[in-house]
Amino acid sequence: QSALTQPASVSGSPGQSITISCTGTFNDVGTFNLVSWYQQHPGKAPKLIIYEVTKRPSGASTRFSGSKSGNTASLTISGLQAEDEADYYCCSFSYETSGMVFGGGTELTVL
Amino acid sequence: QVQLVESGGGVVQPGRSLRLSCVASGFTFNNYALHWVRQAPGKGLEWVAVISYDGSNAYYANSVKGRFTMSRDSSMNTLYLQMNSLGPDDTAVYYCARPGVSGNGWNYYYYHYMDVWGKGTTVTVSS
């Protein structure tokens, strides 16, 4: 039950776009369109921003978008803002355990 | 409003047990599966376990299987996590989380993402 693979950190300037990748296997990301993404600010609980690869929950910014190709899912944040500086986690259903598996997390720095 | 409030955390010696609680409000408790997710200090999120809407089924992460048990009490709108044989690697903030899909079924459709989170309760395993 290995964690999904994310880059440890990414950065971008205000107004730019960044993409965070999330790589799994055919047991999780590759087979199921059940990838979700969470934003977590320091000391706070995670917040859902994308589910089922591409869907945004009510209230989530339209600047967040998701996609998937093969075993890799991606989160794109467009028009970066200072408030986007946070940790981002992907998550997927895992056939291996019938449970969930998270990525290691990516720290986003807005320069 | 929809809310989850965890409690029961604290400092516990290695090898001992602890039971966490999560009280739900603002939604129909019996219509949702529920998760526990933990986060070790300075580390990422780790999924721990999920329980079905009626408590009859549960899945666990390999790291806690055989040591942790989830249960729920619909009369109290409360979710539990019984943690036995605790070790230093269990030190973490423990969050309960509700999926975004309601219904009285039991497959991944009913728990594959988490749209409501509690604020967490901290467990420290130390001698």
Side-chain angles (χ1 to χ4, degrees):
Chain A
Q1 185 185 12
S2 301
L4 306 177
T5 301
Q6 298 181 232
S9 62
V10 298
S11 62
S13 300
Q16 288 186 330
S17 294
I18 63 94
T19 296
I20 299 171
S21 61
C22 169
T23 301
T25 71
F26 67 90
N27 276 325
D28 37 65
V29 176
T31 297
F32 303 95
N33 290 324
L34 300 174
V35 176
S36 50
W37 289 89
Y38 303 86
Q39 177 192 60
Q40 186 181 35
H41 288 105
K44 300 294 187 181
K47 175 186 175 183
L48 175 71
I49 55 174
I50 293 286
Y51 68 101
E52 293 175 3
V53 179
T54 62
K55 298 178 181 178
R56 270 188 309 274
S58 174
S61 172
T62 55
R63 297 184 299 104
F64 297 120
S65 62
S67 62
K68 192 186 88 167
S69 177
N71 292 341
T72 299
S74 298
L75 171 71
T76 297
I77 308 175
S78 58
L80 271 180
Q81 300 179 0
E83 67 203 47
D84 298 330
E85 190 162 286
D87 294 327
Y88 292 83
Y89 295 90
C90 61
C91 182
S92 174
F93 170 77
S94 171
Y95 180 78
E96 205 173 344
T97 63
S98 296
M100 309 303 294
V101 59
F102 280 95
T106 299
E107 181 181 23
L108 169 62
T109 300
V110 179
L111 302 171
Chain B
Q1 74 278 24
V2 176
Q3 196 171 10
L4 297 169
V5 179
E6 305 92 336
S7 63
V11 180
V12 61
Q13 293 179 329
R16 303 298 291 265
S17 299
L18 198 64
R19 188 178 80 161
L20 306 183
S21 300
C22 171
V23 176
S25 59
F27 64 95
T28 304
F29 185 75
N30 291 345
N31 278 2
Y32 289 86
L34 289 165
H35 293 272
W36 285 102
V37 175
R38 68 183 181 182
Q39 186 169 34
K43 302 296 185 182
L45 300 174
E46 180 188 15
W47 176 78
V48 173
V50 62
I51 192 169
S52 60
Y53 69 98
D54 62 355
S56 63
N57 292 282
Y59 294 124
Y60 298 89
N62 290 337
S63 57
V64 307
K65 196 175 296 183
R67 300 188 300 121
F68 289 13
T69 303
M70 280 186 80
S71 61
R72 57 194 295 165
D73 183 343
S74 59
S75 68
M76 306 271 289
N77 281 8
T78 301
L79 173 72
Y80 300 103
L81 184 66
Q82 177 67 43
M83 305 185 295
N84 298 333
S85 303
L86 285 163
D89 288 349
D90 297 315
T91 293
V93 175
Y94 284 75
Y95 297 99
C96 62
R98 192 202 77 174
V101 179
S102 64
N104 296 342
W106 181 237
N107 61 56
Y108 58 72
Y109 172 76
Y110 294 97
Y111 59 81
H112 67 277
Y113 68 96
M114 305 145 202
D115 79 336
V116 178
W117 294 69
K119 294 185 177 181
T121 186
T122 301
V123 173
T124 303
V125 183
S126 173
S127 54

